[in-house]
Amino acid sequence: MFEEYKIATLGSHSALQILKGAKEEGFKTVCICLKGNEKPYESFRVADEMIIIDSYKDFFSIEKKLIDKNAILIPHASMIAYLGMDYIQSMQLMHFGNKNILSIEAHRVLQKQWLEMANLKIPKHFSSPETIDRLCITKFHGADGGRGYFLAKDAKEFYTKLAQSTKEYYIQEYVVGIPIYIHYFYSPLTNEIEVLGFDKRYEANVDGIGRIAAKDQLACEINSSYTVGGNSPVVIRESLLPEVFAMGEAVIKASQQLTPGGLFGPFCLETILNSDLKFYVFEISARIVAGTNVFMNGSPYSYLRYNEPMNTGRRIAREIKQAILTDSLSKVLG
Ligand code: AMP
């Protein structure tokens, strides 16, 4: 009877994985795709059905069509950025995951309070450029993949680099260490936290600067920037895993105090691990992250847990299937 439902998502971000995973679990899939972006979804054979739209705002006019198909929509960062949280909140279409948590995640101050409630170490936030007293990273709002971020060690450098920009910014202590993105899944059906994998991002131009000599870097006055171009897999020291699980559990517990139902499904803690082996969490994503795409065929950790190829997209579909089969679909929608 689960076959009466379809899994749908917007063709971008992690849609290949979401749709492939859904097919592996036996669902029919629908890809809503911007005209001109169809090629990968057709070529990789992940969509049983394509709905082509001319612009993202046309999504609103096909919502009814998706409802009639009994489709369950899987959110990802591009979908949230393109459709907007206001529309997603008002949508009648079945939606996997808790929308209230997505709204909290989208709000930097609320997100910070959430991480503090969970007692996680977070980089210091500077509320005004004048208070900068160490190396800081300045971030801009929106899921633009780290574009335009810059480093500054004091107010003078901050204003020079901000230049004429009027964009809303957020100043955070820059933690020196290695970036580690932790992919979790929390099942509201079994109340279990799973660790499905780890990745790191491949960012222009911080990951390219080392390819030229220091004297050339200085000569062309290159600024660090953090535009995400791709991701690579990571395995971590096994001795860090107990803490990884504890951090995930703390985040889930705190989320349940923030909003009914709390966070469930896939989520990611975006961390910097410093040389004292302390995790600093600089962001949380309360849905599937694109870094899980490195494990289309499963990760070393999902192999340990499942003994079969299990990516985050497939894990979502399995949760939905389990919920339908146990008459608890409402537990995974929100
Ligand atoms: P974000 O948009 O917050 O995910 O950050 C983009 C990139 O900037 C990350 O992948 C990190 O490489 C880097 N980054 C962000 N915040 C920090 C921080 N507080 N300390 C060090 N690096 C950071």
Side-chain angles (χ1 to χ4, degrees), residues 120-121 175-180 182 198 234-247 271-281:
L120 300 185
K121 268 187 231 41
V175 181
V176 179
I178 50 171
I180 294 187
I182 312 172
F198 303 86
V234 170
V235 288
I236 67 163
R237 285 171 76 133
E238 198 159 310
S239 57
L240 293 169
L241 283 173
E243 194 183 346
V244 164
F245 277 96
M247 290 194 298
T271 75
I272 302 286
L273 183 71
N274 75 4
S275 52
D276 296 328
L277 295 179
K278 302 275 183 255
F279 284 104
Y280 282 80
V281 180

Side-chain angles (χ1 to χ4, degrees), residues 187-256:
S187 167
L189 304 177
T190 62
N191 296 324
E192 191 190 345
I193 289 257
E194 298 167 28
V195 171
L196 292 179
F198 303 86
D199 79 288
K200 65 174 182 156
R201 288 184 181 170
Y202 199 40
E203 296 165 331
N205 50 28
V206 282
D207 290 319
I209 286 174
R211 294 166 61 87
I212 56 175
K215 66 178 167 45
D216 297 322
Q217 297 172 23
L218 292 172
C220 30
E221 295 182 16
I222 295 173
N223 282 323
S224 313
S225 59
Y226 297 82
T227 308
V228 182
N231 304 75
S232 324
V234 170
V235 288
I236 67 163
R237 285 171 76 133
E238 198 159 310
S239 57
L240 293 169
L241 283 173
E243 194 183 346
V244 164
F245 277 96
M247 290 194 298
E249 277 160 16
V251 158
I252 293 297
K253 226 181 234 159
S255 76
Q256 290 165 346

Side-chain angles (χ1 to χ4, degrees), residues 28-325:
K28 289 271 185 262
T29 58
V30 185
C31 180
I32 305 103
C33 198
L34 196 65
K35 196 173 185 169
N37 291 351
E38 315 77 314
K39 190 70 187 178
Y41 306 99
E42 289 168 355
S43 172
F44 293 119
R45 311 278 194 275
V46 292
D48 293 303
E49 213 180 312
M50 301 279 294
I51 300 179
I52 310 298
I53 51 178
D54 287 324
S55 82
Y56 288 118
K57 63 179 185 315
D58 291 344
F59 191 95
F60 316 140
S61 58
I62 58 141
E63 189 186 334
K64 169 85 174 58
K65 201 162 154 185
L66 291 168
I67 293 172
D68 293 343
K69 287 182 193 298
N70 222 13
I72 299 174
L73 187 70
I74 313 298
H76 53 60
S78 303
M79 193 184 100
I80 297 164
Y82 298 142
L83 303 187
M85 251 344 278
D86 288 347
Y87 169 65
I88 292 175
Q89 282 289 0
S90 68
M91 210 163 51
Q92 298 300 305
L93 180 60
M94 284 186 278
H95 171 275
F96 175 78
N98 188 341
K99 289 180 189 170
N100 292 338
I101 276 292
L102 288 181
S103 294
I104 292 173
E105 182 228 82
H107 196 291
R108 281 208 198 268
V109 175
L110 296 178
Q111 185 181 124
K112 180 168 173 281
Q113 285 168 359
W114 176 10
L115 296 174
E116 281 167 351
M117 267 173 79
N119 267 325
L120 300 185
K121 268 187 231 41
I122 56 178
K124 185 173 159 61
H125 167 231
F126 291 86
S127 50
S128 85
E130 283 66 31
T131 57
I132 297 177
D133 64 357
R134 66 194 80 180
L135 186 63
C136 284
I137 181 166
T138 299
K139 305 181 179 189
F140 297 99
H141 192 66
D144 203 11
R147 191 183 299 272
Y149 289 9
F150 64 83
L151 301 187
K153 59 186 177 321
D154 53 32
K156 186 164 173 272
E157 190 177 359
F158 172 88
Y159 284 116
T160 307
K161 290 187 172 167
L162 185 69
Q164 306 305 326
S165 174
T166 52
K167 283 194 283 185
E168 203 182 316
Y169 54 75
Y170 186 86
I171 309 170
Q172 199 175 58
E173 166 188 13
Y174 186 88
V175 181
V176 179
I178 50 171
I180 294 187
Y181 290 67
I182 312 172
H183 314 158
Y184 293 98
F185 190 95
Y186 174 66
S187 167
L189 304 177
T190 62
N191 296 324
E192 191 190 345
I193 289 257
E194 298 167 28
V195 171
L196 292 179
F198 303 86
D199 79 288
K200 65 174 182 156
R201 288 184 181 170
Y202 199 40
E203 296 165 331
N205 50 28
V206 282
D207 290 319
I209 286 174
R211 294 166 61 87
I212 56 175
K215 66 178 167 45
D216 297 322
Q217 297 172 23
L218 292 172
C220 30
E221 295 182 16
I222 295 173
N223 282 323
S224 313
S225 59
Y226 297 82
T227 308
V228 182
N231 304 75
S232 324
V234 170
V235 288
I236 67 163
R237 285 171 76 133
E238 198 159 310
S239 57
L240 293 169
L241 283 173
E243 194 183 346
V244 164
F245 277 96
M247 290 194 298
E249 277 160 16
V251 158
I252 293 297
K253 226 181 234 159
S255 76
Q256 290 165 346
Q257 289 162 23
L258 285 172
T259 183
L263 170 62
F264 57 85
F267 68 103
C268 174
L269 289 181
E270 311 188 355
T271 75
I272 302 286
L273 183 71
N274 75 4
S275 52
D276 296 328
L277 295 179
K278 302 275 183 255
F279 284 104
Y280 282 80
V281 180
F282 61 87
E283 201 157 315
I284 179 167
S285 295
R287 32 88 200 155
I288 187 169
V289 285
T292 60
N293 289 337
V294 298
F295 301 121
M296 292 278 185
N297 201 30
S299 77
Y301 301 94
S302 72
Y303 168 71
L304 289 171
R305 177 71 173 68
Y306 285 98
N307 279 313
E308 62 179 326
M310 178 61 68
N311 61 38
T312 298
R314 184 171 181 182
R315 183 64 191 84
I316 293 171
R318 183 161 295 182
E319 189 77 356
I320 293 172
K321 186 159 97 178
Q322 263 324 102
I324 296 168
L325 295 175

